[in-house]
Amino acid sequence: MSLFSKINQQGFQALLWKCHMFWPVSRCQPMFAVSFSNPKREKINTFSFMTSSSTALPVDPKGTGVFPAKKRSEIDYEEEKGWDEETTGTSEGKLQFSSSDRAPKKWLMSQALSRHKFTYVQPPEKPLQAEEWNRLKESFQSPEVFEEVMLNSMVRRNSPIDVAKSLLTHVAKSNGDIAYNLLVKYLALCVQQGQTSEIRDMYDIMKIRFRILESGAYNLLIRGLSNSDQWRMALTLLEEVKKIMIPSRSNYQSCIKAAGRHQEMNLAFQLYHEMLAKGLVPTLDVLQALFDFSRGMGGAELQKELFGILLYLRENQIYPHRTFMWSIKLWFESIPGGNWRGHLTDIKDSGQCPVCSHQLEDSDLSEEEYNNLRERIIKDVIHGTDTFRKTSPQEFEAFQTFVKNLLPFDIVIDGLNVSHVKPRKMQCENLFDAVNCLAKENARLLVLGRKHMLMNSSNWKREIMKEMQNKADFFFAENISEDDAFLLYATLQSGKHCKFVTRDFLRDHKACLSDSLTRQLFRKWQRGHQIVVSPSAEGKHINFMPAFRYDCVVQTTGDTWHIPYKDVFEEKYSYQVPRKWLCIQQKR
């Protein structure tokens, strides 16, 4: 069942050889005919083909060239990419190279097919003859990309392998070559269908023709092999990738799952730690897999590793979804001799677990932690970033004087942010409702606004603004100013009791903090001080979710674990915390 099996009684590779023996040298890199055998596998006959030289590196006796590497960015734990996302291109950012290669260069893949207006065609259900492929191509509105569109459609519809082979045979007979991008799409189809022999043959031939493959091909090869009985070859490929670029998250996770699937947990965790050391953020999917594969296994070291994942969730304020939470529960309960039992529960405002009566950690920072955080935010976030690109030093100094003369406040409100809470209502009315609600308990309010709010307009009525100013202090910044720095400064200067109201995630400011411990303190302070505002279900009122008195993160006492979780996987940030918990106790 390899790529080079016969199609219509005619060898695929023989067709390629016959088609391009006399192809002009000016069209491409010199042809490269190969013959090799593997003692553990059947011999692959002499095969010769040409690929598009713009997407991979042909074998070069001088050993020079460039290669792509994907740009790294922080990812909020989404699921792994599909085949087409991994094979349509690479980043235009800085590339990473091993020290043995020449200077970095930018790598641009061929234009992504998704930009073309013709992106789908119905693939045939069975292999076609050359004249049938010609008729289909002639009837296609954009024949120059017919083969690429057709293979994309075959992958999406999971067409039979023989149908794709017949198309590539036709391409070889017509053009004398098969472009690299078509080979990679064929490889994607093989991976999708678990065609291990095909995947291995594709790798052998592409490596003979090309000294270095691009990252999309490596992703597919590693994924395909890791899901087969040839999974150790995926580890070999991972080592190969390390020599030329930083492996992708997908590369590592495919190998981690393969090792776990075969109960080689030491290897799985070795790869997991290597992945973290390279700054790659694991998905919840692979973290859950480590718990699933460890179920029923004993050993203090394995238990320590999995406890480490739970602490990783704590440190990064990650909330597992229900299926991941269930995997954690089942793993605890499967530990030989562990005698752990898990229960699902809701924890009320008091912070006491109704299952085990344990009191959860307080969300307040200690005096020392609070003072350290305040100093670091002023240094790293307010003075250490581009604050003064979005405001002027003179304006911020005026704000500092304003705050100093009126301290302390009980609640600081991001006025413009809150004014948009109900889109169908006037902005000044939204803000008025919020101020009225928060002022009921005689709290001292500071509202951060913009100068355009003072202009009588359809959204900002002068009489409503005057009435609000009788209930709260206002500071009006320039219309172009960024008010997050004002919000943080006023809240922190007012003291530990002061809360703030905004729907902003404050992610950029957390990222500006220079060390992980301070970032953890910032998140904890945010969880305990941010009041969430949202429209009611019917859209007539504003709802406020008060800040938690207890800290909503994974926590343990040694013989208990409390793990907050969400019902479904979704992107959530600091102030959006779940109410549901998994309580796990160890019975003595």
Side-chain angles (χ1 to χ4, degrees), residues 65-85:
V66 296
F67 46 83
K70 290 188 177 181
K71 185 188 248 181
R72 298 283 165 257
S73 61
E74 188 170 326
I75 306 167
D76 292 305
Y77 303 92
E78 74 274 10
E79 294 304 310
E80 291 185 12
K81 294 180 178 179
W83 73 270
D84 49 347
E85 291 175 291

Side-chain angles (χ1 to χ4, degrees), residues 181-198:
N181 62 330
L182 299 185
L183 291 175
V184 172
K185 292 178 191 302
Y186 175 78
L187 175 60
L189 186 61
C190 295
V191 170
Q192 186 168 284
Q193 297 185 8
Q195 301 278 354
T196 305
S197 180
E198 298 282 347

Side-chain angles (χ1 to χ4, degrees), residues 131-142:
E131 56 273 15
E132 294 173 304
W133 282 120
N134 281 330
R135 283 198 296 272
L136 273 180
K137 183 172 182 177
E138 288 168 4
S139 65
F140 189 58
Q141 297 180 23
S142 187

Side-chain angles (χ1 to χ4, degrees), residues 379-389 485 508-509 512-513:
K379 178 182 177 182
D380 293 346
V381 177
I382 296 175
H383 294 306
T385 65
D386 60 346
T387 295
F388 296 129
R389 295 181 189 176
D508 293 341
H509 305 294
C512 290
L513 296 168

